[in-house]
Amino acid sequence: MFWRMIIKTLIRQKSKMLMIAFTVVLGVSLSTAMMNVMLGVGDKVNRELKVYGANITVRHKDAALMSDLYGLEGQGVNDKFLYEDDVLKLKSIFWGFNILDFSPMLEGKALMNGVDVGIIGTWPEKHVVLPTGEELNTGLKALRTWWEVSGEWLGESDDKSVMIGHILASQNKINVGSKITLNSETFTVKGIFNDGGNFDNKILMTLPTAQKLLNLPGKISSIEVSALTTPDNDLARKAAQDPRSLSPDEYETWYCTAYVSAICHQIQEVIRDGVAKPVRQVAESEGTILNKTTLLMVLITILSSIGSALAISNLITASVIERSQELGLLKALGAYNWQIVLLVLAEVMITGLAGGIIGYFMGIGFAQIIGQTVFGSYIEIARMVILIVAVILFFVTLIGSIPAIRYLTALRPTEVLHGK
Amino acid sequence: MKILELKNVSKIYGNLKALADINLSVNAGDWLSIMGPSGSGKTTMINIIGCMDTPSTGSVILDGTDISRENSVNLTRIRRDKIGLIFQQFHLISYLTAVENVMVAQYYHSMPDEEEAMEALAKVGLADRARHLPAQLSGGEQQRVCIARALINSPQILLGDEPTGNLDEENESIVVDIFRRLHDEGVTIIIVTHDPEVGDVAQRKIILEHGRVVDDIDQSATFGEALKLKGKS
């Protein structure tokens, strides 16, 4: 009888129930989209910010010390170097999968037309095969996506070519195709780049060429690393100060979370004499943007939930007032308050559930539209959103039903049956 | 045996005394009609007897239980178990069929039993209309469904609030005839009515004015005759 009454009520009140379902669809779809984007946005924002370069730099510990203490960097500051052999070990750390791109750098000076100029040896583009058999393409080109290049990028084995920063090129009237001499070796200028930073007055070449020119075989000054990271929290900040201050449980949590400090710590474990440091601006931008984006999504979810609850509240109350005679009759026939409330809640919950299911799938669609529009890729569907949305839906419907429930419990059969 | 007793019952709404010091006893199997002008307290009295309201003062003994101080949950239980209600506006649930309307009362009493509900409808002559919605039934038929619903849980008292108020003469006779049969079966019937003809067919008639019983008429002597006359009309 209970279900028969519910089904017939749903059919009879289909326009009102459709309105309730529609309200739920709007609320749930928005919440689903926002939460999926919120949970998937971390990687997306990180990938977006990756275009602004590396977020971790690895240097020799002595060089890092000079930089930290005196702000001194580059060739001549010290004669300690990292080893090129260690570079691929980056992919062997616990968070190796989060290391997207990397490139070793060897900085030095060479004579060009009798004047010292800065040179940088690197992997412009590098196809590497890891000990695990995994293959990947990396190099500086992937880390400097914003460079404007006239001519072409250096290839992996362009040992007789260089690229030159646009400031240095204009000062020396060098064009693409020009020949330049560095320490008595002649190179062809393959490209002129605009970095917008301190690379613009330097000459870029392949790492073997620089090592040969500087007579530093197998040595590198630093490694630039782009890694997907999780925004810092109190634990990460505490660990960044000193990982030894963490309790064993905290250490495990920190180590197994992709905080930039945890990744730096793990990099230091595999790079001999290396000190890994986050590039502050990029790391902080990631954290700030992620936190603000998350907050925005949470706010939108909360507001849409409140909006849905208010709309549901109005619709249910209107429906119950319209049916007050029928519900009063049920009381007169011997129904307890809880039985009437259960009946009305069951109707609303079934309607809400139907709206919720439709809203969930629409929300996934909205999330993909947002993903495509903003990030140019699909947003991964987080299963936990189903549970969160179900809980939100339950409470929104329940809270929205409170005014109607109060009206129902206060409803006296005599008032509606005798018109008193 | 007394099934109902009202002792010094008053009901006060602000400054208005809807019922004033009412004393009334009803024996099991009695057929009582309550008459009086509008505002005389008829509906207030039936609400109190029907456990839908409580008196401001006095006590109401229903089948040995004082219901005047019971809470709403207990009143609901007592109403469900002991009272059958018939309304002037029928109050059938519009989207349920006749038999389903009867089964609703079963559902909130114990357990729905379609066969039993069909028997109740057959008893009021509506077996062939059981699958019809209220909108497909005449006023008289709707009132008979309402009676079947009131009777389905075998109540000790059948309470009618103007049960013939919305019926034409033919349907009024049918309904009165049903009451007569129920009375013969021993059901206690209490009916509020404006209609003197319906009031006259009861065994006993009380007249209310300004919340007081101004007359209590024993119609036992003319009871059978009035019914026959009503049947002929």
Side-chain angles (χ1 to χ4, degrees):
Chain A
M1 199 65 222
F2 179 77
W3 293 112
R4 204 185 292 196
M5 286 169 76
I6 284 175
I7 290 164
K8 290 201 171 186
T9 304
L10 292 178
I11 295 169
R12 190 178 65 102
Q13 291 217 311
K14 56 181 176 294
S15 56
K16 271 207 174 56
M17 293 302 166
L18 279 173
M19 282 298 291
I20 293 174
F22 181 66
T23 307
V24 171
V25 165
L26 288 180
V28 167
S29 59
L30 202 55
S31 300
T32 303
M34 289 301 111
M35 275 188 288
N36 271 306
V37 171
M38 186 175 79
L39 293 171
V41 79
D43 285 357
K44 304 292 173 201
V45 169
N46 270 327
R47 283 178 200 278
E48 285 293 312
L49 287 170
K50 196 171 84 60
V51 302
Y52 299 110
N55 52 3
I56 294 172
T57 305
V58 190
R59 282 177 292 179
H60 191 280
K61 58 188 178 187
D62 290 350
L65 190 67
M66 295 300 281
S67 171
D68 288 347
L69 290 177
Y70 308 111
L72 299 173
E73 291 187 25
Q75 194 203 24
V77 174
N78 67 71
D79 57 354
K80 301 290 171 56
F81 295 93
L82 300 173
Y83 303 94
E84 188 184 355
D85 295 348
D86 289 345
V87 175
L88 293 185
K89 291 178 185 170
L90 287 172
K91 289 295 281 183
S92 67
I93 66 169
F94 182 82
W95 285 109
F97 193 69
N98 278 35
I99 299 211
L100 301 174
D101 287 299
F102 52 91
S103 183
M105 314 288 275
L106 176 61
E107 292 190 51
K109 285 190 167 61
L111 277 173
M112 182 176 76
N113 302 330
V115 179
D116 269 347
V117 292
I119 62 165
I120 301 167
T122 187
W123 293 347
E125 283 182 284
K126 181 84 170 176
H127 179 79
V128 292
V129 180
L130 301 174
T132 57
E134 185 192 343
E135 294 184 33
L136 62 97
N137 292 309
T138 187
L140 195 68
K141 192 176 177 182
L143 293 167
R144 294 289 192 278
T145 51
W146 71 91
W147 274 14
E148 292 168 16
V149 176
S150 308
E152 288 178 43
W153 262 89
L154 290 173
E156 193 172 343
S157 53
D158 271 337
D159 293 338
K160 288 291 174 189
S161 300
V162 294
M163 291 175 79
I164 186 163
H166 75 104
I167 293 175
L168 189 61
S170 65
Q171 282 171 352
N172 293 279
K173 297 185 175 50
I174 297 168
N175 298 312
V176 175
S178 300
K179 303 278 185 192
I180 60 168
T181 304
L182 294 168
N183 291 357
S184 74
E185 276 201 45
T186 304
F187 298 93
T188 306
V189 176
K190 197 172 180 184
I192 296 173
F193 58 82
N194 184 348
D195 170 58
N198 57 5
F199 273 43
D200 283 338
N201 53 10
K202 291 183 177 173
I203 296 170
L204 191 76
M205 58 191 67
T206 62
L207 185 60
T209 308
Q211 286 169 337
K212 188 178 161 198
L213 214 57
L214 297 171
N215 196 26
L216 292 169
K219 301 288 174 60
I220 54 173
S221 316
S222 62
I223 311 168
E224 288 194 1
V225 182
S226 174
L228 287 178
T229 59
T230 301
D232 277 0
N233 58 9
D234 289 342
L235 175 66
R237 280 186 280 275
K238 185 180 173 187
Q241 298 286 323
D242 183 6
R244 286 170 299 185
S245 66
L246 301 178
S247 68
D249 283 348
E250 284 177 330
Y251 183 84
E252 192 178 331
T253 305
W254 170 74
Y255 196 89
C256 297
T257 309
Y259 298 122
V260 68
S261 54
I263 293 176
C264 285
H265 179 78
Q266 290 163 20
I267 289 173
Q268 288 171 192
E269 289 175 336
V270 296
I271 303 290
R272 280 173 287 170
D273 300 328
V275 171
K277 299 245 172 180
V279 178
R280 195 170 295 162
Q281 295 93 328
V282 176
E284 284 179 358
S285 296
E286 285 173 2
T288 306
I289 289 173
L290 274 180
N291 288 336
K292 289 191 174 173
T293 311
T294 305
L295 182 66
L296 183 68
M297 305 284 172
V298 169
L299 279 176
I300 292 172
T301 304
I302 290 171
L303 288 177
S304 75
S305 300
I306 291 172
S308 297
L310 287 174
I312 289 171
S313 171
N314 284 335
L315 289 164
I316 297 172
T317 307
S319 164
V320 164
I321 289 173
E322 195 179 279
R323 296 167 61 198
S324 57
Q325 206 169 65
E326 172 197 328
L327 299 170
L329 171 75
L330 297 182
K331 282 193 176 187
L333 292 178
Y336 292 118
N337 276 337
W338 67 265
Q339 288 176 304
I340 311 266
V341 169
L342 185 69
L343 186 75
V344 171
L345 275 183
E347 292 165 10
V348 176
M349 288 292 175
I350 289 170
T351 309
L353 183 67
I357 291 169
I358 297 168
Y360 174 75
F361 287 107
M362 277 180 68
I364 288 175
F366 288 151
Q368 299 314 328
I369 292 170
I370 293 170
Q372 283 291 330
T373 311
V374 181
F375 303 108
S377 66
Y378 288 107
I379 299 278
E380 199 176 324
I381 306 304
R383 276 192 217 159
M384 67 185 291
V385 171
I386 297 175
L387 184 68
I388 297 170
V389 164
V391 171
I392 290 176
L393 175 63
F394 177 78
F395 282 105
V396 161
T397 313
L398 196 65
I399 291 167
S401 305
I402 286 174
I405 291 171
R406 290 185 62 185
Y407 175 83
L408 274 179
T409 50
L411 184 70
R412 297 177 63 209
T414 52
E415 288 168 3
V416 287
L417 296 177
H418 299 303
K420 259 187 145 182
Chain B
M1 190 190 91
K2 279 181 190 167
I3 187 87
L4 177 72
E5 191 171 12
L6 276 69
K7 292 179 184 171
N8 307 111
V9 168
S10 295
K11 182 70 183 180
I12 300 160
Y13 298 107
N15 294 326
L16 176 72
K17 215 165 189 182
L19 289 178
D21 209 23
I22 299 280
N23 287 287
L24 178 72
S25 289
V26 179
N27 290 323
D30 274 2
W31 182 348
L32 173 75
S33 64
I34 303 169
M35 297 191 69
S38 295
S40 58
K42 302 186 300 291
T43 302
T44 304
M45 185 187 267
I46 217 158
N47 284 343
I48 290 172
I49 297 170
C51 303
M52 290 186 284
D53 207 347
T54 49
S56 305
T57 59
S59 59
V60 180
I61 315 296
L62 175 63
D63 196 23
T65 307
D66 185 355
I67 60 168
S68 55
R69 298 290 172 263
E70 292 288 355
N71 61 30
S72 64
V73 174
N74 285 340
L75 285 176
T76 300
R77 181 179 48 76
I78 293 166
R79 181 170 66 245
R80 192 186 62 191
D81 293 341
K82 298 182 189 292
I83 308 286
L85 292 166
I86 305 168
F87 307 98
Q88 183 179 3
Q89 273 94 16
F90 324 131
H91 292 307
L92 299 178
I93 298 174
S94 61
Y95 54 87
L96 297 180
T97 62
V99 70
E100 286 170 338
N101 266 285
V102 177
M103 287 164 71
V104 167
Q106 287 180 309
Y107 172 69
Y108 286 114
H109 179 266
S110 48
M111 189 180 284
D113 181 338
E114 193 163 344
E115 204 177 316
E116 205 178 306
M118 287 296 290
E119 280 172 23
L121 283 174
K123 211 168 171 181
V124 295
L126 283 179
D128 57 332
R129 311 284 279 166
R131 307 288 170 200
H132 287 69
L133 291 170
Q136 297 165 323
L137 301 173
S138 69
E141 287 172 328
Q142 288 188 51
Q143 191 58 292
R144 281 144 71 191
V145 175
C146 187
I147 293 169
R149 182 179 64 191
L151 292 172
I152 192 67
N153 297 320
S154 307
Q156 290 176 337
I157 298 176
L158 192 63
L159 276 183
D161 185 9
E162 302 279 6
T164 57
N166 273 354
L167 303 182
D168 58 24
E169 206 165 330
E170 188 187 344
N171 279 304
E172 186 181 295
S173 293
I174 294 169
V175 168
V176 169
D177 193 47
I178 292 169
F179 287 154
R180 182 188 55 75
R181 279 193 281 118
L182 294 171
H183 175 70
D184 290 346
E185 289 169 16
V187 177
T188 307
I189 302 169
I190 301 174
I191 284 169
V192 162
T193 182
H194 268 109
D195 186 339
E197 282 190 35
V198 177
D200 287 346
V201 296
Q203 267 180 317
R204 183 180 163 200
K205 178 168 72 179
I206 63 164
I207 312 294
L208 286 180
E209 270 180 32
H210 303 298
R212 295 177 187 279
V213 177
V214 294
D215 211 349
D216 189 342
I217 306 161
D218 183 356
Q219 303 183 137
S220 303
T222 56
F223 178 54
E225 290 304 310
L227 273 176
K228 280 179 198 165
L229 286 172
K230 185 70 196 161
K232 279 177 189 169
S233 70

